[in-house]
Amino acid sequence: MLSRTADHLFWMARYTERAENTARMLDVNVQTALLPQSARAAEEGWRATLSISELQNEFDQKYPKFTSKDMLHFMVTDTSNPSSIASCLRAARENARAVRGALTTEVWETQNITWLEMLSQLSDNVLEQDPSQFFEWVKYRSHLSRGVTFGTMLQDEALYFIRLGTFLERADNTARILDVKFHGTGAAPSAAKLGNENQLDYYYWAAILRSVSAFEIYRTVYRDAITPARVADLLMLRGDMPRSLRACLYNVERDLRNISHDQHSHTLRMAGKMHAELEFAHIEDILEEGLHDYLTDFLERVYTLGNRVSHDFLVPLAA
């Protein structure tokens, strides 16, 4: 496959996944803002989303005084922010348009209609009237895009690059959500402390689980109270949890095997090593060593892995 075609497919998938992940994070803040809390705590919750996306400085430069309304505008409709939902859906649509011949009609139409419907939703002020409804729509369109893609595309290199972009982006996002929640609220807690439930934090942890569609899964797996240590275990090490780090790296390694040749062995080994470490890790050991340090290292390695994929298969980044 031509590297330019692979590049468009890879980034189409990444931008679609990124739009969904942003919608999930913002919806958590909309829901938790309804809970009893101080104005400072509410603002810190919103700013955590900026930290996840590494957009704190850009937001502060544009909006000297924080408001949740400005935050939603910046993360949803502001096209000067390349990670806003509008920017991501536009970029996904443009990448799809560039390689329409490599996509089924259903995949292209889904991407195109998503973009057109988003313009209509924003024009009708759905975001201002009911933010959660808008975020649910974004998640639904992302699910629809994935389902149509996996259900209609030939299982060849085109599909493998789409999947690769999806799971690299998802791994990055899950790690960021965990890191901000565990580390952003203060000093890194001990493993013993993480094993104990704080009743005041229950609704926040439940919101985090819902942000990655894991609340019901948590109840099925643990059948007990929500504790931070179990949340970390579920979102990092459970291979049967679709958005866990382990599940994402399993899929990344599998898709790399399908497209790799001998000259790409280093990239494949890197993905395989990351997956193996997650497969055989114990959450107690990770917490004892320091969860923040582990996740920081993981994010750096995912970034490096993404760069290696770009170097080996995609259009090289401009110097």
Side-chain angles (χ1 to χ4, degrees):
M1 172 177 287
L2 293 174
S3 61
R4 187 169 298 279
T5 299
D7 187 81
H8 284 302
L9 295 170
F10 177 83
W11 284 105
M12 177 193 76
R14 288 203 74 155
Y15 281 121
T16 300
E17 183 72 19
R18 190 173 300 176
E20 178 187 348
N21 291 332
T22 300
R24 288 176 178 276
M25 289 186 292
L26 291 173
D27 197 30
V28 167
N29 283 304
V30 169
Q31 299 299 325
T32 55
L34 301 176
L35 298 174
Q37 59 184 316
S38 67
R40 179 179 178 82
E43 180 177 337
E44 288 176 351
W46 284 107
R47 287 189 176 277
T49 300
L50 293 171
S51 298
I52 289 173
S53 305
E54 299 182 356
L55 292 169
Q56 185 74 65
N57 292 335
E58 289 83 349
F59 178 85
D60 289 338
Q61 290 173 6
K62 194 163 188 176
Y63 302 100
K65 184 178 180 181
F66 178 89
T67 67
S68 59
K69 181 179 179 180
D70 288 340
M71 173 72 180
L72 284 175
H73 170 72
F74 182 69
M75 293 300 296
V76 176
T77 64
D78 190 345
T79 52
S80 69
N81 169 15
S83 293
S84 71
I85 290 175
S87 293
C88 288
L89 293 181
R90 180 178 63 182
R93 188 252 187 189
E94 289 305 305
N95 277 283
R97 185 177 61 85
V99 287
R100 285 183 62 175
L103 302 172
T104 61
T105 300
E106 291 88 344
V107 173
W108 158 246
E109 289 182 348
T110 299
Q111 291 287 347
N112 192 42
I113 292 172
T114 295
W115 166 248
L116 296 174
E117 285 190 3
M118 186 205 70
L119 295 178
S120 177
Q121 293 246 350
L122 295 179
S123 176
D124 292 341
N125 296 318
V126 174
L127 179 64
E128 290 77 9
Q129 296 170 9
D130 191 345
S132 288
Q133 177 183 333
F134 177 78
F135 298 140
E136 285 297 323
W137 174 84
V138 174
K139 288 187 283 183
Y140 167 76
R141 295 303 301 185
S142 179
H143 293 323
L144 181 61
S145 176
R146 250 188 330 272
V148 168
T149 300
F150 296 168
T152 68
M153 292 281 291
L154 184 67
Q155 295 188 20
D156 61 0
E157 286 188 339
L159 180 62
Y160 301 145
F161 279 109
I162 291 172
R163 288 175 52 87
L164 197 54
T166 296
F167 290 112
L168 275 173
E169 184 69 30
R170 187 176 295 179
D172 180 273
N173 182 259
T174 299
R176 289 179 187 277
I177 288 176
L178 273 172
D179 192 33
V180 168
K181 178 56 183 175
F182 275 93
H183 188 68
T185 53
S190 66
K193 183 179 178 181
L194 284 170
N196 297 319
E197 180 184 16
N198 182 339
Q199 187 63 38
L200 295 177
D201 259 2
Y202 169 83
Y203 291 106
Y204 293 93
W205 288 113
I208 292 296
L209 289 171
R210 288 192 174 95
S211 76
V212 290
S213 299
F215 184 78
E216 290 83 3
I217 293 175
Y218 184 98
R219 291 302 193 195
T220 299
V221 171
Y222 298 104
R223 301 179 182 277
D224 205 345
I226 297 175
T227 67
R230 288 173 179 160
V231 172
D233 181 57
L234 181 69
L235 299 188
M236 292 175 68
L237 305 182
R238 292 283 307 199
D240 49 2
M241 165 58 197
R243 290 183 171 268
S244 73
L245 304 186
R246 178 179 166 187
C248 290
L249 265 296
Y250 167 80
N251 283 291
V252 167
E253 181 188 6
R254 182 184 65 177
D255 292 318
L256 276 174
R257 287 189 184 279
N258 288 323
I259 61 176
S260 292
H261 302 291
D262 291 342
Q263 63 267 36
H264 310 134
S265 59
H266 181 76
T267 303
L268 179 57
R269 280 200 302 271
M270 183 178 182
K273 182 178 180 182
M274 293 177 69
H275 172 237
E277 289 174 358
L278 290 164
E279 183 175 5
F280 296 104
H282 293 284
I283 194 63
E284 294 81 6
D285 297 333
I286 293 175
L287 296 178
E288 196 64 39
E289 294 175 9
L291 184 63
H292 173 64
D293 291 340
Y294 184 96
L295 291 172
T296 298
D297 178 68
F298 178 85
L299 285 167
E300 291 174 355
R301 294 168 72 187
V302 165
Y303 178 77
T304 301
L305 181 58
N307 283 343
R308 290 206 61 85
V309 170
S310 295
H311 177 271
D312 288 353
F313 303 103
L314 310 179
V315 176
L317 296 176

